[in-house]
Each structure stands twice: as C-alpha cells, then as structure tokens.
Amino acid sequence: MVWVCKSHAETETGYYIVGRGLPREELSNEWGQIVQEHSSRLFTYARDRLISLDGLASKYRHLKPQDDFYAFGIWGSDMPLHLLWSPRMLPWEIKDQPWSWASCPREIWFRVRQIATRHDCESFKSQCSILQVDLKTGMLKLMARKKEIHSNLTRKFEFDPEDEHSFLRERANHLTGCYITMSDTHIEPFGWAVFDDARRGGSILKSREDQHIYFLYLSDVEFSTPPYSESYGLLLGEAPHGKEGFLRIGVAAISRYSWIKDEPEVDVTII
C-alpha cells in the first residue's frame, strides 16, 4: 500500500517513493535512496548497474552544483558520504573500482544516512579532501589521515553474539566483523571493522601473507544512540605488486579520536 500527497509518496513500511510528489529541493538530496533501491535489482550483466543509471544521472545533474561531477555512480558533492557503503549481505568477491558501490553485485546500503527509512545521523562532517577521480582508470585520489590498523584487528577479537559489546555490533550491523582494540593486552574495543569479503580482504589480497591494513579517516559522525560520536573511514590494503595505490577492502569506525588525530594528512590513491 502506498500513500501519496502533494509533498510525499510513502509505502506502508516507511519507504519514500523516489520521484513521486517530492519537491525539487528534497529530490536534490535523494540520490542515496535512488542508489540503494537501484542496487537491489538484478541485472543479467554487472556493467548494466551503472549504464541503467546514466539517463537518470543526466536529468539529476541540474539539481547538483554547477561544478559537480559524476563518476561510477557517485556524485563528487556526495563524497565522502557515499564512499561509506556496505553490502547488505556478506561476503562478496572484491572487483574493479571497489571504492564505488557499483562494484558490488548485491544490494548495498549507506552506513551513515539511511534515507529511505529515516534512520539518519545527527551530524556528518567530512575530514578529507576529494582531489580527483580519473574516469579512464577509475582511480580515486584524496587527501586524508591514514594509519596502519592491522595489529589492532587480532582474530581473537572478532564479533561474538555472546559478548558484552552489543552496541558496537549493532552499529556495525553485520554478524561478521572485528573489534578494534589498542593492542593484544589493551582489549577494550574502541571501534569496529567490517570487511567487504568477510575475509580481511583475502579475496583480493590472498597472495600477500604480510599484507598491511590501513584505516583511512574520512568523517566525524554524531548519533542519537551510543556510541554517540564515531570517526568513520575505509579499510585499505596495499595494491598488488606492479600497481601503485590502495584497494578498499571494508569500512570501519572508531570512537577514540586521539588514536588518529596526530597522523599527518597524506595523498592517497584508491584503485
């Protein structure tokens, strides 16, 4: 059942109907909902996930800033917000341009702002600078703080439904993941990490036994439920031999800003 009025169209489950009755100023903020709904559809060929959005993106462009750009299903003005996505179901094999939701063959959701169900954060503040997206190579270049996190993700601190850290597991919203701790001896978690392939990036980094994993700090987010304040970012692995840059392998959040604040901002290329 659907309710429609002059300003909104909504299903009985609480989802907005995109493009039905939404005023122009509200529609300009709804690309995330469009993508979430679009990603749940099945396509014979994976490449059609983006091709089928091209027409809508061209119509949508006049609602965006004049100097905005569109690349691999994401608007520049929506970064880093729309870089913080996850597949609803794990695992999946990491493919080309894994920093974009379009690389995932399954339904995705945006972690910070669940527009369709109105589960929104209290505030979102970017802590990085988007420098460039190369439309030919698919490389994303940005400036942000980056810190190695491999030693903070020991396997004995993987999610356990019987442990006492349910508030972190609920925020991570996946059964498979790791708590982030200061060390093996300081075991009180101050964050969580979810890998896209549920294998610590092993589907794409399997030949690298000594693989380093990094946390790329993208934003500060405030919520109305605990943990009230978190710093969100991407989990990165070093690109295979012969390639420069990093690969996205997951998403993480920390609630201890002091852990990352002293790191210098550096140029990072994600392939």
Side-chain angles (χ1 to χ4, degrees):
M1 184 176 293
V2 178
W3 288 269
V4 180
C5 67
K6 290 183 178 180
S7 61
H8 289 82
E10 186 176 326
T11 69
E12 59 185 328
T13 57
Y15 279 77
Y16 291 125
I17 306 299
V18 176
R20 287 295 306 274
L22 293 177
R24 179 188 180 97
E25 62 273 12
E26 188 172 336
L27 183 61
S28 66
N29 297 318
E30 296 297 313
W31 185 256
Q33 182 187 346
I34 293 173
V35 165
Q36 289 180 170
E37 293 180 356
H38 182 77
S39 70
S40 66
R41 300 174 183 177
L42 299 177
F43 294 89
T44 303
Y45 302 103
R47 63 177 181 271
D48 290 341
R49 287 168 68 81
L50 279 180
I51 294 174
S52 57
L53 272 181
D54 285 348
L56 184 56
S58 64
K59 296 291 185 182
Y60 205 88
R61 182 172 294 278
H62 72 281
L63 299 173
K64 287 293 187 176
Q66 189 172 3
D67 59 349
D68 206 351
F69 66 89
Y70 176 76
F72 303 100
I74 303 179
W75 293 94
S77 59
D78 291 333
M79 296 183 187
L81 178 64
H82 286 174
L83 297 177
L84 297 169
W85 59 270
S86 284
R88 286 199 180 276
M89 298 293 292
L90 296 175
W92 67 280
E93 296 294 311
I94 300 173
K95 303 293 184 182
D96 295 335
Q97 281 80 55
W99 55 266
S100 168
W101 63 267
S103 65
C104 179
R106 301 179 180 179
E107 182 179 2
I108 65 95
W109 60 289
F110 293 110
R111 287 196 157 270
V112 175
R113 287 186 170 165
Q114 282 281 31
I115 301 171
T117 55
R118 300 179 184 174
H119 294 164
D120 204 350
C121 64
E122 295 293 311
S123 67
F124 178 90
K125 183 178 181 181
S126 174
Q127 295 292 346
C128 68
S129 299
I130 306 300
L131 302 179
Q132 180 188 9
V133 176
D134 191 317
L135 297 180
K136 292 184 179 180
T137 65
M139 290 185 177
L140 167 64
K141 296 183 179 182
L142 46 78
M143 179 177 287
R145 294 180 177 91
K146 174 175 65 72
K147 185 172 182 176
E148 188 169 351
I149 198 173
H150 185 83
S151 61
N152 304 94
L153 298 170
T154 55
R155 292 190 179 277
K156 66 181 179 181
F157 297 129
E158 294 179 348
F159 290 170
D160 182 347
E162 302 299 323
D163 66 37
E164 60 185 15
H165 308 300
S166 60
F167 66 100
L168 287 176
R169 283 186 279 106
E170 289 171 1
R171 182 61 53 78
N173 201 26
H174 274 299
L175 296 177
T176 304
C178 299
Y179 297 117
I180 301 174
T181 64
M182 293 299 293
S183 66
D184 287 346
T185 55
H186 295 79
I187 62 174
E188 185 65 25
F190 67 94
W192 54 264
V194 172
F195 291 88
D196 293 334
D197 61 0
R199 292 164 51 191
R200 294 172 175 256
S203 64
I204 200 168
L205 308 172
K206 49 193 171 187
S207 63
R208 305 287 302 279
E209 294 298 324
D210 59 343
Q211 177 63 49
H212 297 284
I213 299 174
Y214 299 88
F215 175 76
L216 186 68
Y217 175 35
L218 297 184
S219 63
D220 288 330
V221 186
E222 300 287 338
F223 293 96
S224 59
T225 57
Y228 297 105
S229 178
E230 288 185 301
S231 297
Y232 270 68
L234 299 181
L235 294 171
L236 302 180
E238 294 173 343
H241 290 302
K243 295 183 179 180
E244 295 183 358
F246 297 86
L247 294 166
R248 171 200 153 119
I249 56 177
V251 177
I254 59 173
S255 55
R256 186 174 294 174
Y257 174 67
S258 59
W259 180 78
I260 191 73
K261 71 179 181 67
D262 292 331
E263 296 297 315
E265 290 190 340
V266 295
D267 289 352
V268 177
T269 298
I270 306 177
I271 62 175

